Amino acid sequence: MANFTHLFDLTETQSTTIENLIKEEPESAWIVETYRQDNLKVHQETGSIILKLQNRNEKNPIAIENTELISKYSILNELYAKAAEIYKFSKYIVPTSLFVKLPAGKQVYKHKDSFEIFKYINRIHVPIITDAECLFTIDEETKSIEKGKATQIDNMAWHSVENKSSVDRVHLIFDIKADLS
């Protein structure tokens, strides 16, 4: 698997709509659900708005599904459908969908996502608010993912993020897999 695989670009309408919705969120929305920050220390400097999060980790299982946020961000269904089309999934499941904020000057420390489920899903990052100085490193490859570029990342490899910019970086992160039921 390539470290970074560009899948598709958001339309201008999609990008603007999602960014405007994010900008309407109060600062407190980023700390309502702190599961990731509390249980995955590499994410302690981030904030998140969780629409859906399923983790079958035996030590810390969790299932969050915020129907109010899912409805508010219904435009994301277009992105999920586009990803499913690219992967040629006739039916699909999105077990995780969240926005992650990495404040200016902060970082996500080097780590691998080792949960077994990551062998069977596709993790997609979509920069919503970003800057050229927001740097994503996977193994030895470092790049800035441009706003609106849906990109699958190899999260089973060592990766980290550093926000060297003066803006708070916000990514939509979602997982998608074929529904084999």
Side-chain angles (χ1 to χ4, degrees):
M1 168 188 252
N3 290 333
F4 300 91
T5 304
H6 175 257
L7 299 174
F8 62 91
D9 295 344
L10 272 63
T11 66
E12 187 62 38
T13 299
Q14 290 168 332
S15 185
T16 301
T17 300
I18 297 166
E19 182 176 357
N20 287 341
L21 286 168
I22 285 295
K23 287 180 175 178
E24 290 173 3
E25 295 289 352
E27 195 59 35
S28 60
W30 296 96
I31 57 170
V32 169
E33 179 51 69
T34 60
Y35 173 85
R36 293 177 80 246
Q37 295 80 0
D38 296 341
N39 292 285
L40 305 167
K41 295 301 180 194
V42 297
H43 296 297
Q44 64 190 3
E45 293 187 335
T46 68
S48 56
I49 296 175
I50 299 174
L51 286 71
K52 294 172 72 172
L53 178 63
Q54 291 181 7
N55 176 359
R56 297 204 175 15
N57 178 358
E58 290 180 17
K59 291 182 182 178
N60 294 305
I62 189 163
I64 298 170
E65 188 161 339
N66 187 321
T67 54
E68 184 178 320
L69 287 174
I70 291 169
S71 177
K72 178 178 182 178
Y73 289 95
S74 61
I75 191 168
L76 299 181
N77 291 323
E78 296 173 17
L79 281 57
Y80 309 151
K82 182 67 175 174
E85 176 185 322
I86 289 167
Y87 291 120
K88 299 183 180 358
F89 297 155
S90 56
K91 294 185 343 182
Y92 61 92
I93 298 169
V94 177
T96 299
S97 181
L98 66 154
F99 293 98
V100 176
K101 180 194 291 189
L102 182 61
K106 301 295 184 180
Q107 63 184 325
V108 174
Y109 297 95
K110 190 174 184 179
H111 67 287
K112 283 185 180 182
D113 296 339
S114 58
F115 299 119
E116 183 72 16
I117 188 69
F118 287 120
K119 293 179 182 175
Y120 309 103
I121 63 168
N122 300 286
R123 169 139 298 173
I124 300 169
H125 278 249
V126 185
I128 304 300
I129 300 170
T130 194
D131 183 274
E133 291 299 310
C134 295
L135 302 174
F136 206 127
T137 300
I138 303 177
D139 284 334
E140 301 302 316
E141 183 180 0
T142 299
K143 69 185 306 183
S144 176
I145 306 173
E146 293 178 43
K147 178 180 175 178
K149 304 274 186 195
T151 304
Q152 180 177 341
I153 66 150
D154 181 1
N155 59 314
M156 299 291 282
W158 288 103
H159 60 282
S160 61
V161 185
E162 188 173 6
N163 186 350
K164 295 181 176 184
S165 79
S166 60
V167 300
D168 293 346
R169 183 207 81 161
V170 176
H171 275 205
L172 166 66
I173 301 173
F174 69 94
D175 296 336
I176 189 168
K177 64 181 183 173
D179 181 351
L180 303 176
S181 63

